[in-house]
Amino acid sequence: MTVKSLDSEKCTGCGICVACCPMDVLRLDEETGKAFVAYPKDCVACWGCESFCPVGAIDVSPERGRGRMVSAY
Amino acid sequence: MKNIDKLGTVITTDVLVLGAGGSGMCAALKAKESPVDVLVLDKCGTGYCGQVPIGGGILAYVHPEHVGEWAERVTVQSGYFNNQDWTYAFGGDMHPTLMELASLGLTFLEKDGEIDILNWGPGIYVTLFDAPKSLVALKKTAKDRGVRMMDKIYAIDLLKRDGRVVGAVGLGLVDGKTYIFNAKATIIATGGCGYLHEKTYASCLGEGPAMGYRAGAQLVNAEFGSGYVWGTEVLGKELFGIHFYLYLENERGEKIMGKYYPELMTGTHSVYTFDPRVIDAMQKEVKAGLGPIYLNLKGLSLEEIAGLAEDQDTELTHLMANDNLRLLTDKAGIDPSKERIEMTPKYLYSGGGLRIDTACRTTLEGLWAAGSAGSNSWSGGGGGQGGLGVASAAVTGFRAGGSAGKYAASNKRYDVDATQAKRALDRVLAPMGRKGSVDTADVTYRVHEAVVPMKYNRQREAGRMKEALGIINDARGKLAEVGATDYHDLARYHSAESMAMAAEFTYRAALMREESRAAHFREDFPEKDDKNWFKWITIERKNGEPGLATLPVPLKDYRLQP
């Protein structure tokens, strides 16, 4: 999983991370209204959520979600 | 629309825009200038989706007085292979587009109270804008003007009646609902296919061109326009920075660009990560046994390194995701001022898209395309520079929206045919509940094995391309073993299918074009062949199979003659 941490204390439930995630990895919890990692395996570590999060609640690690890249050479 | 409610939630509008990125938002805003209802959908969320907010914030610019000169340069560079009607339209629209974007709320770099136009090399002009906030600004304006927006809707197939497009079916990713949209005019603005090999533009996975193809619209230029960018493997993305090319070296520490492109080493140039000359030099060095290739910024201060990017301006906001220094230091644990960094090529973008005329109409009635989902041959392989992606998104978005809005205002509505909607949904929903034995990520990886290696896609040759098509066929076979338990999984399935389709079209068109031209290079046909190949290749569905045909470049109708 490449979203290393999502701090629910900091999260305000603004939904920006859900909106910017190109892979539909993040969702808002219906009960708490806060963001959570719903589909961790699909994260490609684009850093959109960490970049856009207005309160710095998300830390994404650099690893690619799924193994090594196919080499172009 | 009898019985249609049983199939899903039916939503009616006049102009349906699929995709709320730069092109989709421009299309929606322009369509709304006609007296029509406009609805824009996105699989992500309005304000934060597509390529523009995470791009470099660069907009290509041509001064109105220089349009003719610019169009002539593009035309000559392309060997007259471009669609000159589009080249002139594009060049002529650049200035009004910039002004319109500013009036819609985008923040541009300013100097003395005017938008600052920067000269980034011979004949290359750009301006910079606040990319991360750009779509939020357009969203606000769109909301004020009554454009309707729906987030987290994954549109995946078009609906037709009597040969014309009358809407689309979509999956509610969050609410789990199936949607049927009925519209008088539909605009595909979902981007091209980015393939997920390079992860900067992970949202564009080819769904739009794929759905247009399935509905019967023509694609064009699938063999052109794809390419490689370069960056660190650990970050898995390109490194933005127009002067980094000067610091590329081989294993021995020899600078590589001057060896092959000495002209780039004198004067001022902007060499973007898309520039094929860098990939060319990298590949030649690696082939000569002098790899790997490194970016060596040792000895430079972090401030100097930041200065090499040049598209980073303190007046505008920048995403951490595009800040090379922060990514390298904070995420990859690399200090670029102390260690050299290995660079790897990454494949980005399929070629071509839905064929569009200067009003962005596709070959299907009721269907328009904007942004990189469409292909208009404006460049013909000439005129490459940074900032064209955003300029093209805005120009085609405005043109598509204007044309579709007027069409919707003056044409009657055609209802959705329930039988056809059911057939479309049966196809879309087929993997649901199927017990899957393969993960979609494995299908994507298999597609990468066909499109990424340069032996298939950069030095093209008939035998090897057939091998690549075999790999794509194998990926398709794997796809048949993918199941879905919810609409998130189902969307991943359809994205993988769209990627496989984009890859197949690229190779089919590249196999047909038995010559070399622009970035399409055939080892077995290394020369440009104007006698036989002064034509564009189109792809259109015939009897369930991709039918390829050619369209001569209508040079005699154009302004500039060789």
Side-chain angles (χ1 to χ4, degrees):
Chain A
M1 174 165 135
T2 56
V3 183
K4 271 200 294 199
S5 63
L6 202 166
D7 189 336
S8 58
E9 293 288 306
K10 281 188 185 169
C11 176
T12 61
C14 72
I16 290 175
C17 60
V18 179
C20 74
C21 178
M23 302 302 288
D24 187 34
V25 166
L26 298 154
R27 292 285 175 81
L28 289 181
D29 188 292
E30 278 179 26
E31 281 178 22
T32 66
K34 298 200 176 202
F36 73 104
V37 186
Y39 298 94
K41 67 183 174 64
D42 290 322
C43 175
V44 294
C46 72
W47 296 286
C49 56
E50 181 175 344
S51 297
F52 277 112
C53 178
V55 294
I58 306 175
D59 184 11
V60 179
S61 79
E63 293 96 45
R64 198 180 164 74
R66 304 287 186 97
R68 283 184 64 80
M69 295 176 86
V70 172
S71 170
Y73 293 123
Chain B
M1 281 195 268
K2 228 169 42 178
N3 296 327
I4 197 107
D5 295 336
K6 288 179 191 153
L7 297 171
T9 305
V10 180
I11 294 179
T12 301
T13 185
D14 295 325
V15 177
L16 177 67
V17 184
L18 308 179
S23 61
M25 289 306 287
C26 287
L29 279 156
K30 185 57 82 178
K32 195 62 192 167
E33 290 178 12
S34 290
V36 291
D37 181 66
V38 178
L39 172 63
V40 53
L41 316 175
D42 201 278
K43 65 177 177 179
C44 302
T46 325
Y48 297 93
C49 47
Q51 302 178 80
V52 172
I54 52 166
I58 306 167
L59 181 73
Y61 179 78
V62 176
H63 191 278
E65 283 175 15
H66 297 152
V67 172
E69 198 183 304
W70 177 83
E72 197 171 330
R73 194 172 66 243
V74 170
T75 304
V76 171
Q77 272 177 12
S78 79
Y80 296 82
F81 195 66
N82 55 329
N83 179 331
Q84 288 186 33
D85 291 341
W86 256 114
T87 313
Y88 279 93
F90 189 27
D93 275 9
M94 286 217 212
H95 177 77
T97 293
L98 167 61
M99 293 302 140
E100 185 146 16
L101 288 172
S103 77
L104 290 170
L106 257 66
T107 305
F108 287 92
L109 185 69
E110 287 192 7
K111 193 178 174 184
D112 305 328
E114 302 272 332
I115 293 173
D116 197 10
I117 305 293
L118 310 171
N119 180 208
W120 271 12
I124 293 176
Y125 293 89
V126 300
T127 182
L128 305 181
F129 66 101
D130 205 320
K133 294 179 184 163
S134 58
L135 294 191
V136 177
L138 293 186
K139 178 182 181 176
K140 185 180 174 300
T141 310
K143 198 176 168 195
D144 291 346
R145 294 184 185 179
V147 172
R148 289 197 288 155
M149 291 168 256
M150 286 176 77
D151 289 351
K152 305 297 279 185
I153 306 288
Y154 186 80
I156 189 58
D157 255 331
L158 297 168
L159 294 168
K160 278 170 74 181
R161 181 153 208 153
D162 301 337
R164 62 171 61 71
V165 172
V166 296
V169 293
L171 310 170
L173 295 175
V174 172
D175 62 19
K177 288 184 186 170
T178 305
Y179 287 93
I180 293 157
F181 298 95
N182 177 220
K184 292 179 179 175
T186 302
I187 301 172
I188 295 181
T190 56
C193 183
Y195 286 108
L196 285 177
H197 186 250
E198 206 285 342
K199 59 194 174 190
T200 305
Y201 302 121
S203 58
C204 297
L205 301 177
E207 294 95 338
M211 75 174 92
Y213 165 79
R214 279 192 295 271
Q218 218 173 62
L219 301 162
V220 69
N221 292 324
E223 73 278 33
F224 295 115
S226 64
Y228 295 80
V229 294
W230 44 281
T232 57
E233 177 149 343
V234 65
L235 294 175
K237 73 191 288 293
E238 64 180 307
L239 283 185
F240 292 103
I242 62 172
H243 298 311
F244 282 161
Y245 73 99
L246 292 164
Y247 297 84
L248 290 171
E249 65 180 35
N250 63 22
E251 174 67 27
R252 292 184 193 161
E254 299 159 343
K255 294 276 175 284
I256 67 167
M257 289 307 293
K259 276 191 188 180
Y260 307 99
Y261 298 99
E263 70 276 17
L264 286 177
M265 309 310 276
T266 53
T268 310
H269 300 276
S270 63
V271 174
Y272 229 61
T273 48
F274 295 88
D275 197 308
R277 291 173 292 190
V278 178
I279 296 299
D280 186 54
M282 287 174 78
Q283 194 190 9
K284 281 183 174 137
E285 290 287 295
V286 170
K287 264 193 173 166
L290 298 169
I293 305 303
Y294 296 92
L295 179 66
N296 188 348
L297 304 167
K298 284 198 292 186
L300 296 176
S301 69
L302 292 179
E303 202 180 16
E304 283 169 323
I305 294 172
L308 294 173
E310 205 156 301
D311 56 334
Q312 304 274 314
D313 191 278
T314 47
E315 287 175 41
L316 306 172
T317 52
H318 293 284
L319 284 187
M320 183 274 286
N322 288 338
D323 186 337
N324 299 308
L325 271 184
R326 275 195 62 193
L327 285 178
L328 287 169
T329 54
D330 298 3
K331 293 293 169 187
I334 295 167
D335 181 345
S337 66
K338 295 210 172 81
E339 53 190 304
R340 58 182 194 171
I341 314 157
E342 187 177 335
M343 294 288 115
T344 53
K346 297 161 213 307
Y347 184 66
L348 182 64
Y349 291 137
S350 67
L354 294 159
R355 183 180 158 208
I356 48 172
D357 67 7
T358 50
C360 294
R361 286 179 292 233
T362 68
T363 55
L364 271 187
E365 169 126 33
L367 185 68
W368 284 253
S372 45
S375 180
N376 55 24
S377 318
W378 76 265
S379 87
Q385 72 162 87
L388 286 167
V390 182
S392 170
V395 166
T396 56
F398 288 141
R399 282 182 174 249
S403 172
K406 287 191 187 101
Y407 177 94
S410 56
N411 280 278
K412 68 170 203 150
R413 175 178 306 283
Y414 287 82
D415 287 342
V416 170
D417 174 345
T419 313
Q420 202 256 332
K422 184 171 182 317
R423 207 163 48 230
L425 282 170
D426 283 348
R427 188 199 83 81
V428 170
L429 299 174
M432 281 297 282
R434 188 157 80 194
K435 200 171 148 36
S437 57
V438 172
D439 193 308
T440 41
D442 298 328
V443 178
T444 306
Y445 190 86
R446 196 74 180 123
V447 173
H448 287 180
E449 287 183 316
V451 293
V452 176
M454 293 180 175
K455 66 173 178 178
Y456 296 138
N457 216 350
R458 192 153 200 279
Q459 284 82 37
R460 293 170 169 167
E461 183 272 329
R464 292 199 299 270
M465 283 196 283
K466 283 174 188 160
E467 201 178 299
L469 281 167
I471 297 172
I472 295 161
N473 205 30
D474 184 55
R476 282 252 171 77
K478 283 181 183 297
L479 195 65
E481 293 169 45
V482 170
T485 54
D486 63 8
Y487 280 2
H488 168 91
D489 283 351
L490 191 57
R492 299 268 67 79
Y493 168 94
H494 286 294
S495 297
E497 186 185 47
S498 303
M499 282 188 260
M501 198 179 269
E504 180 186 346
F505 293 160
T506 292
Y507 284 121
R508 282 195 184 240
L511 259 173
M512 186 180 195
R513 181 172 292 284
E514 294 185 331
E515 64 151 358
S516 292
R517 186 186 293 272
H520 164 75
F521 176 71
R522 287 279 303 254
E523 250 174 31
D524 42 357
F525 298 95
E527 304 299 327
K528 184 158 94 171
D529 179 3
D530 275 338
K531 189 164 168 269
N532 295 302
W533 283 104
F534 199 68
K535 40 192 154 186
W536 300 315
I537 294 176
T538 61
I539 301 178
E540 191 177 330
R541 195 176 199 187
K542 300 263 190 246
N543 306 317
E545 289 291 317
L548 276 71
T550 57
L551 195 68
V553 178
L555 189 62
K556 62 173 177 41
D557 304 333
Y558 287 155
R559 240 180 276 195
L560 301 171
Q561 301 294 321

